[in-house]
């Protein structure tokens, strides 16, 4: 039995010990001296500060300056911002002398990250004794200011000055500074902070805050860098979470590193955690603005379609992907597959950035055992590759088993990350022997070295007549170049094509379905095309550029290679450029796949585009009308309600001035007198054929795609319909119109099993 006096004594001792412990743990916070403000820059001028040059203007800036990205993270209404006149302006700003009275001088800083050129300096006796620069050197960075501090204990009692310097011109040639204070507590950005993980789960999860400063994350496995990307880590409450799939490193120990870490963050780098799932996975594909029959990635930004190829019963869709943010960046090849062109399964990222650069657009082929029928090439042509020719069977040497490999061609976009700084743009290969599950980068990369500053986007296909592989590559300005190869590795330049910008595409199509009458199609990222002849080395155009689409949300499309002869279709998918998904953990979408055909018109041969027939797999409820007059003020679709629609109609305006579908509150209007089809500011010059207007319209949550006159005219339109009524209208204005036939379908989501 313990004596009561001893129990009381022990309790007192324990209580006293706890008080002492709390004091030592928290006294820096509780008893810290009040900060001394050196400058908060809230006045209209700089007061006693001396300004030289033209970079800093007449006084502190009220936030963002003309031509500048949005500046955030400063306190109050004003800050020092040397973007006056843009990045070409230079100058300095120097404070009066003051006495160092606290252990730290802290400040908010952003802008250019160039040591000694875009910086803040502490001067003692005219010499720089402390310095710090901004955070950015690469395009696409953030203008957010972050805390930094100098430890000045050894300078306490001395008289010093602050000098803010902008001596750089060109990109990020400016500096942002605010709220310079003397403090007892360090407010600091820690450089190259690390955390160690033993990988036992599938994902590393990262919190993201749109608008936060970009930070560089690096992952090392046993000292070897395997990933590097920028991310807007959330300093407090995240907008959403993204993930890095680390399943390939299972059982290994990895070191995660961040280039700059703020001691003021509440979450950020310290919140990264490992798990078999990612936050938000339980609501995946059901988010408010998630398109329901257009492909979008689970997380992050999507742009150009890449590497589209059919292989062993699967359509492979690769795409430009930023897995770690809502905006463009960290270009990686995302990957999804489908057996029907409608339902897609995301397989995860296929090709990751490396020391040669981020992974820009390209194409993919299936390497069949093909034999060349054209003999040796003219040795006077430029020999671009660096390896000797391989055998015709498995000529590349990539195949390791019985399955024909998928070979991907992409641009190694050097100088797009610290990992590849100073490295040029080149062309590279990765290949897969397991049906696209994993890819191996060719150890001899690059297969084509630097040609011009941004040469990119190799499109590769097999040319039957000459028995060779053909590559079309954007070089610079409006020039494509054609290369040929016997083995996918060694490439010879053959000729040029003028008139197109980036993302080349080239293929052959029959005219009016006649296999004995074909033309070759060439187009660039915008989709406008030329028709002509191709002999395996040179394209001879027979037309000028012909407009492909009339919307405002189409770019960087590609068609599938290796479609079986029994199918024979030329199937295209493009990027729904500029269709933003606000407040979502993903952004942008891929347009619905279309089948391309050539048909003779009164203006010559033209390319038509129509939704692939597989869309019928999504049909749900169905309404149809035949031979019905539509009077002014009448709406035959008044009983139709739904979220997702496919509409097919053959209309005769007859006495009407206008005929209009109103799709969930958004009008699609045909004006008879001007022969213009319009929707949300886009228009197409559509003439009636035998007095008839044929329309097919696909309406998803975030888009309306319009196909007129059996696909001759195509209008992809971004439209946020999520808050709109779930109604349809067909209206006639100025007179009665006539419905020859009309079918309306509500559509099922591709993300559900129903």
């Amino acid at each position: 039995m313990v004596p009561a006096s001893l129990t009381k004594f022990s309790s007192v001792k324990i209580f006293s010990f706890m008080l002492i412990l709390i004091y030592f743990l928290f006294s820096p916070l509780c008893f810290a001296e009040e900060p001394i403000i050196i400058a908060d820059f809230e006045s209209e001028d700089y007061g006693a500060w001396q300004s030289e040059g033209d970079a800093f203007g007449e006084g502190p800036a009220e936030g963002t300056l003309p031509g500048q990205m949005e500046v955030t993270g400063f306190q109050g209404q004003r800050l020092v911002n040397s973007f006056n006149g843009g990045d070409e302006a230079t100058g300095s700003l120097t404070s009066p002398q003051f006495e160092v009275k606290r252990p730290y001088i802290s400040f908010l800083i952003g802008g250019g990250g160039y040591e000694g050129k875009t910086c803040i300096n502490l001067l003692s006796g005219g010499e720089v004794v402390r310095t710090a620069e901004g955070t950015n050197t690469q395009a696409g960075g953030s203008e957010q200011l972050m805390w930094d501090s100098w430890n000045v204990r050894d300078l306490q009692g001395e008289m010093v000055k602050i000098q803010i310097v902008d001596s750089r011109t060109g990109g990020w040639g400016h500096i942002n500074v605010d709220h310079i204070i003397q403090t007892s507590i360090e407010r600091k950005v820690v450089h190259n902070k690390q955390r160690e993980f033993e990988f036992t789960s599938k994902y590393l999860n990262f919190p993201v805050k749109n608008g936060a400063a970009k930070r560089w994350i690096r992952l090392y496995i046993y000292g070897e860098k395997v990933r590097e990307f920028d991310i807007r880590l959330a300093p407090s409450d995240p907008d959403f979470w993204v993930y890095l799939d680390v399943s390939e490193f299972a059982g290994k120990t990895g070191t995660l590193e961040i280039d700059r870490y703020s001691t003021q963050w509440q979450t950020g780098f310290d919140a990264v955690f490992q798990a078999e799932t990612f936050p938000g996975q339980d609501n995946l594909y059901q988010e408010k603005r998630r398109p329901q029959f257009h492909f979008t990635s689970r997380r992050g930004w999507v742009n150009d379609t890449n590497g589209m190829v059919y292989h062993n019963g699967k359509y492979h869709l690769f795409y430009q992907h930023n897995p770690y943010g809502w905006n463009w960046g960290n270009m990686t090849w995302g990957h999804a597959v489908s057996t029907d062109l409608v339902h897609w399964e995301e397989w995860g990222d296929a090709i990751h950035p490396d020391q040669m650069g981020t992974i820009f657009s390209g194409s993919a082929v299936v390497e069949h055992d093909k034999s060349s029928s054209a003999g040796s090439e003219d040795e006077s042509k430029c020999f671009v590759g660096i390896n000797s020719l391989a055998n015709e069977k498995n000529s590349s040497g990539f195949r390791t088993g019985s399955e024909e490999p998928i070979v991907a061609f992409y641009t190694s976009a050097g100088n797009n990350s610290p990992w590849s700084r100073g490295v040029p743009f080149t062309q590279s290969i990765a290949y897969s022997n397991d049906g696209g599950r994993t890819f191996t980068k060719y150890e001899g990369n690059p297969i084509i070295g630097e040609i011009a500053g941004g040469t990119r986007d190799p499109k590769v296909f097999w040319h039957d007549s000459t028995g060779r592989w053909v590559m079309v590559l954007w070089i610079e300005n409006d020039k494509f170049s054609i290369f040929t190869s016997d083995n996918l590795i060694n490439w010879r330049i053959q000729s040029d094509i003028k008139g197109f910008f980036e993302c080349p595409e080239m293929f052959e199509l029959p005219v009016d379905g006649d296999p004995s009458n074909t033309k070759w199609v060439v187009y660039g990222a915008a989709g406008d095309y030329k028709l002509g002849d191709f002999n395996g080395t040179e394209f001879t155009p027979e037309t000028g550029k012909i407009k492909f689409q009339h919307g405002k949300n189409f770019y960087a499309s590609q068609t599938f290679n290796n479609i079986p002869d029994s199918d024979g279709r030329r199937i295209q998918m493009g990027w729904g450029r500029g269709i933003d998904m606000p407040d979502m953990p993903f952004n942008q979408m891929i347009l619905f796949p279309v089948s391309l055909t050539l048909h003779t018109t009164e203006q010559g041969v033209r390319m038509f585009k129509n939704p692939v027939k597989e869309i019928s797999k999504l049909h749900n409820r169905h309404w149809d009308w035949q031979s019905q007059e539509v009077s002014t003020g009448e709406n035959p679709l008044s009983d139709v309600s739904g979220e997702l629609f496919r509409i097919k109609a053959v209309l005769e305006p007859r006495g009407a001035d206008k005929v209009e579908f109103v799709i969930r509150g958004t009008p699609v209007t045909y004006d008879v007198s001007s022969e213009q089809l319009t929707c949300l500011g886009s228009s197409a010059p559509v003439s009636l054929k035998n007095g008839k207007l044929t329309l097919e319209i696909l309406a998803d949550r975030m888009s309306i795609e319009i196909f007129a006159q059996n696909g001759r005219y195509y209008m992809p339109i971004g439209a946020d319909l999520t808050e709109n009524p779930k109604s349809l209208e067909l209206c006639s204005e100025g007179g009665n119109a006539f419905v020859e036939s009309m079918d309306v379908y509500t559509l099922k989501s591709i993300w559900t099993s129903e």
Side-chain angles (χ1 to χ4, degrees), residues 309-316 338-339 366 368 402-404 406 434-435 562 564:
V309 67
Y310 182 85
H311 180 260
N312 286 353
K314 292 184 175 66
Y315 298 92
H316 291 260
S338 174
T339 58
V366 174
H368 298 288
S402 59
E403 187 172 272
E404 294 171 330
I406 299 174
D434 58 5
N562 202 47

Side-chain angles (χ1 to χ4, degrees), residues 3-28:
S5 58
L6 182 58
T7 303
K8 182 178 180 181
F9 176 76
S10 299
S11 299
V12 170
K13 286 183 66 177
I14 292 170
F15 181 73
S16 300
F17 174 78
M18 292 301 295
L19 285 178
I20 294 169
L21 180 62
I22 291 170
Y23 176 87
F24 280 107
L25 285 175
F26 295 100
S27 60

Side-chain angles (χ1 to χ4, degrees), residues 521-537:
V521 180
V522 174
Y523 65 73
D528 297 344
Y529 61 95
K530 291 182 181 181
L531 301 176
D533 179 66
F534 179 58
N535 63 7
T537 58

Side-chain angles (χ1 to χ4, degrees), residues 260-457:
R260 292 171 184 251
Y261 169 86
S262 174
T263 57
Q264 304 299 301
W265 284 354
Q266 298 171 17
T267 55
F269 190 64
D270 290 335
V272 176
F273 70 97
Q274 187 176 182
E276 287 297 325
T277 60
F278 55 89
Q281 187 169 338
D282 55 346
N283 192 42
L284 191 61
Y285 303 126
Q286 305 307 311
E287 302 94 340
K288 178 180 178 180
R289 291 187 173 85
R290 175 77 69 176
Q292 292 297 288
F293 62 93
H294 289 80
F295 177 78
T296 49
S297 188
R298 288 175 287 195
R299 288 291 183 268
W301 165 277
V302 167
N303 57 289
D304 308 7
T305 53
N306 294 161
M308 291 168 54
V309 67
Y310 182 85
H311 180 260
N312 286 353
K314 292 184 175 66
Y315 298 92
H316 291 260
L317 166 64
F318 301 89
Y319 51 90
Q320 291 284 276
H321 188 208
N322 179 3
Y324 313 111
W326 195 82
N327 298 104
W328 183 94
N330 299 309
M331 286 295 95
T332 302
W333 271 29
H335 187 195
V337 297
S338 174
T339 58
D340 62 4
L341 289 167
V342 175
H343 299 88
W344 294 94
E345 178 188 355
E346 192 167 353
W347 273 10
D349 294 319
I351 308 176
H352 300 269
D354 56 28
Q355 67 275 15
M356 296 176 63
T358 53
I359 311 301
F360 273 23
S361 292
S363 57
V365 300
V366 174
E367 188 185 12
H368 298 288
D369 293 332
K370 308 264 190 179
S371 60
S372 175
S373 60
S376 61
E377 299 193 34
D378 183 354
E379 292 301 324
S380 66
K381 298 292 185 181
C382 175
F383 189 62
V384 183
I386 58 174
N387 299 291
S388 61
L389 291 175
N391 296 327
E392 291 168 357
K393 184 174 182 178
N394 190 23
S395 59
S396 67
F398 298 146
R399 181 170 174 175
T400 58
S402 59
E403 187 172 272
E404 294 171 330
I406 299 174
V407 184
F409 297 81
Y410 61 91
T411 296
S412 293
N415 214 28
N416 268 275
S417 74
W419 202 356
S420 62
R421 189 165 293 156
V423 176
F425 274 51
T426 56
Q427 314 311 313
S428 295
I429 283 177
Y431 57 91
S432 173
N433 281 296
D434 58 5
R437 286 288 181 181
T438 61
F439 280 82
T440 301
K441 292 174 181 175
Y442 172 49
E443 63 181 10
N445 283 335
I447 55 165
I448 295 179
E450 183 180 19
I451 298 176
T455 295
R456 58 184 179 266
D457 310 335

Side-chain angles (χ1 to χ4, degrees), residues 728-747:
L728 287 182
E729 298 177 50
L730 174 60
C731 312
S732 175
E733 183 179 317
N736 295 348
F738 184 76
V739 175
E740 179 179 296
S741 65
M742 181 165 58
D743 291 272
V744 175
Y745 304 88
T746 57
L747 300 180

Side-chain angles (χ1 to χ4, degrees), residues 139-179:
S142 168
E143 290 280 16
Q144 184 183 43
L145 282 71
M146 296 181 67
W147 281 108
D148 206 347
S149 297
W150 295 314
N151 186 328
V152 290
R153 292 179 187 275
D154 61 321
L155 299 175
Q156 284 187 269
E158 292 190 19
M159 300 299 293
V160 296
K161 293 182 178 182
I162 296 285
Q163 182 184 59
I164 304 172
V165 177
D166 176 359
S167 62
R168 176 181 167 81
T169 60
W172 287 110
H174 65 276
I175 186 73
N176 303 325
V177 174
D178 193 27
H179 211 68

